[in-house]
Amino acid sequence: MLTRLQGVYTALVTPFKHDRLDESALRARLAEQRAAGIAGIVVGATTGEGPALEPSEWKQLLEICIAERGDMKIVANTGTNNTRHSIAKTVLAHEMGADAAMAITPYYNKPTQEGMRLHFSAIAEAAPIPLMLYSVPSRTSCELLPPTCGALLDHPSIIALKLAVSNLDRLTEIKQYVGERWSILCGEDSLFLPMLSIGGEGLVSVTSNVVPEAVVALYRAYTTGDWATARQWHYRLYDLNSALFLETSPGPIKAAMRLRGRDCGEVRLPLAPFSDSKLEILQRALDKVLEAL
């Protein structure tokens, strides 16, 4: 059983064509990710438009990713703001053969820290699969705080935390409670290198959809002690990391994929397509990275 998550994991976009899952494009995207040395794929999360997928589409998406994974690990996004639904999806992901599952802090409900502890405990106890928790207060209006992380250490199946916060101190604070028992993965592309420097072990990346080679190059440079090269990649990627959030993700990343000739269709409602007026900014940022590859 998987015990740690390390390296670059791509929060994969979900390709659509005529508002249906584009299986051919999906298989092509997975092949590109494998060739670039990506460690794993996070399936059906925010970047993958999980909230807009029908249950049958989520299952179809996961089936294809599992079949095409090669050496990559497959992490199924199974978390919702309904504990029973989260348990059912996590159990299904395990039965289908996913390597791990990811569960977000419950959005909209805004549970207390005790509510989050009970929610994640219930998922961990019901589903025999490695579990990565996901704290992203900008999306959910609630944050998994360090003492609550410590209170969840009794569940050996919880092995990782995706941390998407701008406060770098939070990683240090969480480490005081969990030590090396959890892998901490950065959830903000622009903070990947800083988080690696203080104990992060990887990244769940939006940017690696479009330039996986560059994000992997940063990680490999850092882990081999070539910090100068890691910093170079950090600076090269910065404008693109920022441009990919000029509007609500995954609109910008789908536009960037199209600019690189890897069309994945448009986003589904209620999201809107990326604004044409901002395409030039996105193109310049993308070209800056492509020129270095």
Side-chain angles (χ1 to χ4, degrees):
M1 179 180 287
L2 192 62
T3 58
R4 299 199 78 74
L5 296 177
Q6 296 173 308
V8 180
Y9 283 69
T10 297
L12 196 70
V13 298
T14 298
F16 294 123
K17 188 174 184 179
H18 306 307
D19 202 35
R20 298 172 65 89
L21 181 63
D22 187 341
E23 293 190 26
S24 177
L26 175 60
R27 295 179 195 278
R29 301 294 81 79
L30 289 165
E32 291 157 2
Q33 295 291 312
R34 289 196 307 270
I38 290 294
I41 299 294
V42 177
V43 181
T46 305
T47 311
E49 298 178 76
L53 296 174
E54 295 296 327
S56 60
E57 290 178 316
W58 177 86
K59 185 176 180 181
Q60 181 187 10
L61 179 65
L62 184 56
E63 283 176 342
I64 293 171
C65 288
I66 289 171
E68 300 286 335
R69 63 185 161 189
D71 292 333
M72 299 186 298
K73 303 300 182 185
I74 299 298
V75 181
N77 176 47
T78 61
T80 72
N81 63 343
N82 181 308
T83 304
R84 291 183 180 182
H85 291 176
S86 301
I87 289 172
K89 288 186 75 174
T90 307
V91 170
L92 179 57
H94 172 66
E95 292 172 348
M96 290 176 63
D99 296 289
M102 184 176 77
I104 195 170
T105 53
Y107 41 89
Y108 190 73
N109 308 44
K110 295 180 69 174
T112 62
Q113 294 297 305
E114 178 63 5
M116 282 187 272
R117 185 190 71 80
L118 293 170
H119 171 77
F120 289 130
S121 294
I123 298 171
E125 290 167 4
I129 187 173
L131 192 63
M132 175 166 63
L133 309 186
Y134 180 19
S135 183
V136 55
S138 65
R139 288 268 186 181
T140 64
S141 297
C142 61
E143 181 180 0
L144 188 66
L145 295 178
T148 311
C149 294
L152 288 164
L153 289 176
D154 290 339
H155 301 287
S157 62
I158 300 176
I159 65 166
L161 171 67
K162 177 185 174 184
L163 187 61
V165 297
S166 57
N167 176 14
L168 287 175
D169 286 341
R170 186 64 81 220
L171 172 55
T172 300
E173 293 163 358
I174 290 171
K175 279 285 189 179
Q176 308 305 308
Y177 285 88
V178 306
E180 300 304 312
R181 292 178 62 180
W182 287 3
S183 304
I184 310 296
L185 275 67
C186 178
E188 300 281 356
D189 278 277
S190 63
L191 296 179
F192 184 27
L193 183 58
M195 279 203 177
L196 283 174
S197 73
I198 56 173
E201 295 184 53
L203 169 71
V204 178
S205 175
V206 174
T207 306
S208 62
N209 277 282
V210 68
V211 285
E213 314 94 320
V215 183
V216 169
L218 188 161
Y219 178 71
R220 287 178 175 167
Y222 180 84
T223 54
T224 56
D226 186 356
W227 300 311
T229 299
R231 284 194 297 271
Q232 285 179 340
W233 280 114
H234 170 77
Y235 288 120
R236 287 170 183 152
L237 284 160
Y238 182 78
D239 288 348
L240 181 58
N241 291 336
S242 299
L244 291 175
F245 288 88
L246 284 170
E247 293 181 3
T248 303
S249 184
I253 187 62
K254 281 201 163 180
M257 296 291 280
R258 188 162 56 252
L259 291 174
R260 198 178 178 188
R262 298 175 175 179
D263 192 9
C264 291
E266 291 291 358
V267 291
R268 272 186 176 169
L269 291 172
L271 297 180
F274 187 65
S275 302
D276 288 344
S277 62
K278 299 172 184 172
L279 280 174
E280 186 177 348
I281 300 171
L282 185 59
Q283 183 73 72
R284 285 200 305 268
L286 178 59
D287 288 344
K288 181 178 179 180
V289 179
L290 294 178
E291 288 167 3
L293 289 176

